[in-house]
Amino acid sequence: MTRFRGPSVATKLVLLIGSVVGALVITVFAVVPPRFERQLRDSLRYDSVGLCQMIASNVGASLVFEDARMAQELLDGAGRNRELLYAVVKRTDGRPLATFRRLGVSDIPQSPLGADWSFSPDGSRLDVETQVVSDGKTIGTVRIGVSLDRVLSEVRQGRKGLAGLSL
């Protein structure tokens, strides 16, 4: 009668190492991409809030003097940023003074953000809004929309790289 001895020590060691490596790969794949995406989104949000504030600080005179041409030139200059989808300078009554819209952007959202910034419902755009203030009172607003395509592309590339590394 042959007695069953079970797996050898080497087999147990290989299984243990394989399990640890597998758990590590799953953990890295579950943790790194979301953190990477959050960091990229935070960075884009920081840059976009800065761009919106820069426009607001430079468009005050245009609002005071109803100089739509100067405001438009400012928005067109900001449009050199390839991720900028739209920018609008509005008077206090909500009427636009100047508008920039990238080709292919069908419409500019009109609904209030409810905060200084928010992501679009479909997750493809970051909207930022700031008030234009002169002599302590609000004289208008600036609202911009920035594409998240670059962020999402970088996250996809990062996931592919991690998958390749994991294999």
Side-chain angles (χ1 to χ4, degrees):
M1 177 176 222
T2 307
R3 202 168 147 185
F4 179 70
R5 298 173 96 192
S8 68
V9 173
T11 304
K12 289 180 184 176
L13 189 58
V14 167
L15 288 173
L16 177 65
I17 291 171
S19 298
V20 169
V21 168
L24 184 62
V25 165
I26 290 170
T27 302
V28 166
F29 209 74
V31 172
V32 171
R35 290 189 86 189
F36 181 57
E37 182 175 0
R38 188 175 33 233
Q39 287 174 339
L40 288 173
R41 284 179 182 249
D42 287 347
S43 176
L44 181 66
R45 183 175 43 88
Y46 178 80
D47 292 345
S48 299
V49 167
L51 174 61
C52 195
Q53 290 173 343
M54 184 275 304
I55 293 169
S57 68
N58 287 295
V59 80
S62 296
L63 281 162
V64 169
F65 296 110
E66 289 285 320
D67 187 353
R69 184 188 57 81
M70 194 71 151
Q72 189 64 51
E73 287 177 8
L74 179 64
L75 295 186
D76 290 342
R80 285 188 225 129
N81 177 336
R82 286 278 167 224
E83 288 152 0
L84 185 66
L85 297 174
Y86 72 84
V88 180
V89 176
K90 290 186 179 181
R91 301 167 177 96
T92 53
D93 63 6
R95 292 179 303 130
L97 178 68
T99 303
F100 167 83
R101 182 182 318 193
R102 178 122 3 248
L103 196 62
V105 174
S106 57
D107 61 341
I108 296 172
Q110 300 299 318
S111 60
L113 290 180
D116 294 339
W117 61 272
S118 69
F119 292 105
S120 63
D122 66 358
S124 67
R125 185 186 67 242
L126 170 65
D127 297 308
V128 179
E129 188 171 80
T130 192
Q131 295 180 341
V132 181
V133 179
S134 178
D135 293 329
K137 63 182 200 177
T138 301
I139 59 171
T141 60
V142 173
R143 184 170 182 167
I144 66 172
V146 180
S147 172
L148 293 174
D149 288 347
R150 183 182 53 84
V151 168
L152 298 174
S153 174
E154 288 183 31
V155 169
R156 278 192 300 274
Q157 288 175 348
R159 286 187 178 176
K160 286 179 185 177
L162 273 176
L165 184 63
S166 298
L167 291 174

